[in-house]
């Protein structure tokens, strides 16, 4: 369970109360921030958000108050203004938004209402990933309860302000977490990203001004309004305010979500809170922020989890999904599994990513099987370079960045496969034979071809 | 669900959105539920008719998303996450336990039509691997030894 040494913001109260219930949420001050905000000028609420400077928790880390300020004011546009909440969480290693929705759904709803009020929106869409059926039911029940109590819909909390919230389920596509793909999907289309500009703040859902924020970003808003942006800004470290709900997984004793101040070190998370590496094994590598972030070597364990420190270590804080990898894992197999995911999820709209992700998988497959040459390894690095910075949306970079980091930081393992003509782990790697959806499809097609 | 009930259910969902086409995903989900877990040609015609779109458009949308099935599936869907965090804690052994217990390989349906087994990308439960989605309900920490009981549970579940 989450450590109690630090003050929780997003998950506060959830250990002692069933905060899925409105009455329990009200006992811990629930919906008081909404009432407070409704009594303030929109600009004053926005100023608090800007002062708090909560950096977007969806991965990119853009300051959320500033992003909200890019949305035109209601008097500056003839179109409706929309708030869309990104609950599509699908980055491997990341499962915090699921826990927020399951345990503090009303905090998400309250944060959504305050944010909508701030930008002059009367319509919120929560795009929840399709696989999250249980979480969908929990958020839906919370919404129904809030609606019955006059907190969602017309004349909210006795004010003259109206706002609807629609809970929209995705249908299984990682790319729909990318904000413009999400909007396409919400418009009833294939989830393929749009080119930017225009940015969603100007032309988003139905070409109207749209603010898009992650679940966790939105769930910080009630606390910011209750206690002030200046207070929030004292939490965490410089340039990385507040707490984050870190997801910890992989080869670690106590996997789970832990809300901690930004700036906590990887060592504290993995060893002090996570209980270290099971079965007396040794830590070999750490993926710090979801599978799209470059890998760190075990000797970088003292890296602090804030944007600048992780960047200085050659990676990114990303989605806050920390994956511990012990010494049984063949790094080439790790690369193959990660590359396979991005190939499966590439939407196919632009050439570098569509073709490049296939190339990555086939080159790594060849090297892993011990059939690769030094030229293949050079080509692998070259393909990464041809994807990075050349793709229409950041998924291309998300596929190439980790792969080039595995080669850079564990080159000796790739080289050993080439030199020995086989996997040096034999069949003893923890990932041996792992079958992803991409390999599953390829295997079925080969079977069919044999029968035909 | 009758054709008329499906039509009316789609109208209800569509009314939530400023533009009706936004209801394509929910409508496809309703149509899939009404057609035994997959989308035959008449399901696309029903969605297209209810939302004033074309069947081909609806099919092109459906084909983009992993949760829509374009071919028949078993009564129960078992999806084993084999993404990185689950893989590190033994997802492959769990998958193989399902394969041997059901006598099929990942991607297949049992001959009696009771189970479809497939691998799936990260389900968002990585800290509690291996995660298996059984009829869209998550089972966490699934070890090979847990597999027979999970299958029994599904066999007796109402659908
Ligand atoms: C391929 C891809 C997948 C993404 N998936 C998610 C996601 O699942 N959830 C999320 O909040 N943001 C995701 N993002 C980031 C969003 O595009 C966007 O930056 C974010 O939702 C903005 O919210 P924030 O400013 O509150 O972080 C993804 C980005 C890319 C490129
Ligand atoms: S980078 Fe990949 S996911 Fe993004 S638009 Fe191009 S093909 Fe689609
Ligand atoms: S890796 Fe299996 S649930 Fe995320």
């Amino acid at each position: 369970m989450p450590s109690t040494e630090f003050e929780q913001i997003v998950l506060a109260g959830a250990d002692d109360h069933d905060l899925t219930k409105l009455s329990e949420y009200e006992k811990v001050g629930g919906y008081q921030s909404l009432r407070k905000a409704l009594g303030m000028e929109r600009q004053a609420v926005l100023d608090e958000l800007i002062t708090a400077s909560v950096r977007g928790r969806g991965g990119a880390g853009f300051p959320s108050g500033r992003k909200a300020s890019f949305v035109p004011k209601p008097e500056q546009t003839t179109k409706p203004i929309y708030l869309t909440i990104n609950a599509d969480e699908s980055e491997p290693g990341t499962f915090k938004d699921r826990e927020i929705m399951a345990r503090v759904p009303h905090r998400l709803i309250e944060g959504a209402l305050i944010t909508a009020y701030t930008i002059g929106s009367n319509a919120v869409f929560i795009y929840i990933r399709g696989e999250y059926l249980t979480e969908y039911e929990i958020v839906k029940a919370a919404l129904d309860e809030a609606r019955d109590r006059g907190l969602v819909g017309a004349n909210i909390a006795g004010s003259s302000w109206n706002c609807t919230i629609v809970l929209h389920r995705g249908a299984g596509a990682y790319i729909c977490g990318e904000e413009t793909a999400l909007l396409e999907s919400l418009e009833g289309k294939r989830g393929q990203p749009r080119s930017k500009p225009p940015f969603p703040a100007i032309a988003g859902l139905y070409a109207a001004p749209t603010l898009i924020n992650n679940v966790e970003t939105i769930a910080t808003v009630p606390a910011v309004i209750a206690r002030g942006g200046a207070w929030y800004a004292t939490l965490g470290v410089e340039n990385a305010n507040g707490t984050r709900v870190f997801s910890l997984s992989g080869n670690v004793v106590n996997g789970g979500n832990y809300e901690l101040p930004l700036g906590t070190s990887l060592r504290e998370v993995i060893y002090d809170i996570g209980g270290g590496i099971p079965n007396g094994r040794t830590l070999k590598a750490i993926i710090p922020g979801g599978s799209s972030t470059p890998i760190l070597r075990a000797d970088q364990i003292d890296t602090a989890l804030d944007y600048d420190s992780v960047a200085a270590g050659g990676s990114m804080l990303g989605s806050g999904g920390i994956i511990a990898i012990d010494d049984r894992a063949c790094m080439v197999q790790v690369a193959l599994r990660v590359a396979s995911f991005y190939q499966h999820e590439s939407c196919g709209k632009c050439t570098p990513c569509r073709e490049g992700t296939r190339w990555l998988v086939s080159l790594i497959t060849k090297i892993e099987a011990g059939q690769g040459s030094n030229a293949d390894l050079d080509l692998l690095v070259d393909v990464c370079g041809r994807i990075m910075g050349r793709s229409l949306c950041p998924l291309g970079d998300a596929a190439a960045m980790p792969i080039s980091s595995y080669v850079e930081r564990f080159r000796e393992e790739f080289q050993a496969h080439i030199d020995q003509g086989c996997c040096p782990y034999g069949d003893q790697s923890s990932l041996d034979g792992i079958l992803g959806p991409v390999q599953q499809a390829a295997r079925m097609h080969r079977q069919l071809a044999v029968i035909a | 669900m009758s054709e008329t009930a499906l039509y009316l259910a789609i109208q209800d969902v569509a009314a939530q959105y400023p533009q009706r086409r936004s209801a394509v995903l929910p409508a496809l989900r309703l149509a899939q539920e009404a057609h035994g877990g997959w989308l035959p040609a008449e399901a696309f015609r029903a969605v297209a008719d209810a939302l004033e779109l074309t069947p081909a458009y609806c099919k092109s949308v459906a084909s983009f998303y992993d949760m829509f099935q374009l071919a028949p599936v078993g009564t129960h869907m078992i999806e084993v996450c084999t993404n990185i965090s689950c893989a590190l804690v033994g997802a492959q052994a769990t998958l193989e336990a399902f394969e041997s217990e059901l006598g099929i390989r990942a991607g297949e349906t049992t001959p009696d039509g009771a189970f479809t087994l497939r691998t799936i990308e990260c389900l968002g439960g990585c800290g509690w691997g291996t995660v298996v989605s059984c009829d869209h309900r998550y089972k966490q920490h699934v070890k090979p030894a847990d597999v027979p009981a999970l299958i029994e549970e599904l066999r007796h579940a109402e659908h």
Side-chain angles (χ1 to χ4, degrees), chain A residues 95 98 129 134 137 168 170-172 185-191 206 249 251 337 344 431 435 440 443 447, chain B residues 17 21-22 29 57 60 63-67 82 85 87-88 92 105 107 119 121-122 124 127 137 140:
Chain A
F95 47 102
R98 178 170 160 237
R129 95 173 264 195
T134 301
E137 291 168 349
H168 181 92
S185 180
L186 189 49
E187 290 182 5
K189 302 176 195 162
R190 296 163 69 88
Y206 313 124
S249 70
N251 302 124
R337 188 63 193 87
H344 186 252
L431 294 183
L435 189 81
Q440 177 193 302
R443 195 181 66 179
Q447 273 172 354
Chain B
Y17 299 94
R21 190 174 56 184
S22 282
R29 182 176 289 106
Y57 177 79
S60 91
S63 70
F64 190 83
Y65 297 91
D66 287 342
M67 292 180 75
T82 61
S85 303
L88 286 165
Q92 184 62 22
R105 300 184 79 187
T119 56
E121 295 295 9
C122 177
R137 299 291 173 184
Q140 300 180 149

Side-chain angles (χ1 to χ4, degrees), chain A residues 175 178 192-193 345-354 357 391-397:
Chain A
I175 190 58
E178 192 281 329
Q192 291 188 308
E345 303 300 336
S346 167
C347 85
K349 185 167 178 171
C350 71
T351 315
C353 168
R354 181 184 63 241
T357 50
S391 303
L392 179 71
C393 88
L395 188 140
D397 286 5

Side-chain angles (χ1 to χ4, degrees), chain A residues 133-382:
Chain A
L133 174 58
T134 301
E135 293 70 22
Y136 163 79
E137 291 168 349
I138 295 170
V139 176
K140 185 171 182 305
L143 263 177
D144 289 344
E145 219 186 340
R147 205 176 286 118
D148 288 348
R149 289 281 297 275
L151 295 165
V152 174
N155 301 320
I156 289 174
S159 73
S160 59
W161 182 63
N162 308 328
C163 186
T164 60
I165 300 183
V166 173
L167 192 54
H168 181 92
R169 294 178 68 194
Y174 166 73
I175 190 58
C176 291
E178 192 281 329
E179 56 187 18
T180 62
L182 184 151
L183 296 174
E184 288 283 295
S185 180
L186 189 49
E187 290 182 5
K189 302 176 195 162
R190 296 163 69 88
Q192 291 188 308
R194 302 172 179 172
S195 46
K196 293 190 272 196
F199 288 91
I202 307 301
L205 187 63
Y206 313 124
T210 305
L211 177 65
I212 303 169
N213 275 130
N214 170 260
V215 165
E216 188 185 352
T217 311
I218 291 290
T220 62
V221 170
V224 168
I225 297 309
R227 297 161 80 173
W231 163 79
Y232 188 87
T234 62
L235 306 173
V237 295
E238 201 185 338
N239 210 19
N241 296 348
T243 63
R244 274 196 80 156
V245 182
F246 291 104
S247 301
L248 178 62
S249 70
N251 302 124
V252 63
V253 174
N254 302 315
N257 288 307
Y258 303 100
E259 183 173 4
L260 300 164
L262 279 152
T264 303
S265 77
L266 272 171
R267 183 187 296 281
E268 289 170 274
V269 177
I270 293 178
Y271 287 95
D272 301 347
I273 296 163
I277 315 304
N279 310 319
R281 309 297 312 194
T282 313
L283 181 71
K284 171 163 154 179
I286 309 146
I287 296 175
S291 75
S292 66
T293 57
I295 203 157
L296 302 175
R297 295 188 68 119
D299 60 13
Q300 292 176 283
I301 187 76
D302 289 308
T303 305
L305 290 162
D306 60 73
Y307 302 86
D308 299 341
S309 304
V310 182
S315 189
M316 291 154 66
L317 198 54
S319 63
I322 300 163
I323 306 172
I325 300 175
D326 76 20
D327 56 345
R328 292 168 306 160
C330 163
M331 252 343 154
V332 181
Q333 290 176 6
V334 171
L336 181 55
R337 188 63 193 87
V338 171
S340 304
F341 170 72
Y342 292 99
Q343 181 195 329
H344 186 252
E345 303 300 336
S346 167
C347 85
K349 185 167 178 171
C350 71
T351 315
C353 168
R354 181 184 63 241
E355 304 298 325
T357 50
R358 281 195 75 93
W359 270 95
L360 295 179
V361 170
S362 64
L363 285 165
I364 304 168
T365 303
K366 192 173 168 193
I367 294 170
E368 206 284 318
Q371 290 155 5
S373 63
N374 285 318
D376 290 320
L377 188 53
D378 292 341
L379 184 56
L380 180 62
V381 175
D382 186 58

Side-chain angles (χ1 to χ4, degrees), chain A residues 93, chain B residues 81 83-86 122-126 131:
Chain B
C81 171
N83 208 303
I84 185 76
S85 303
C86 288
C122 177
L123 283 166
C126 328
V131 182

Side-chain angles (χ1 to χ4, degrees), chain B residues 74-75 102 109-115 155:
Chain B
T75 314
L102 293 171
T109 299
T110 52
D112 64 357
F115 296 97
R155 258 189 224 290

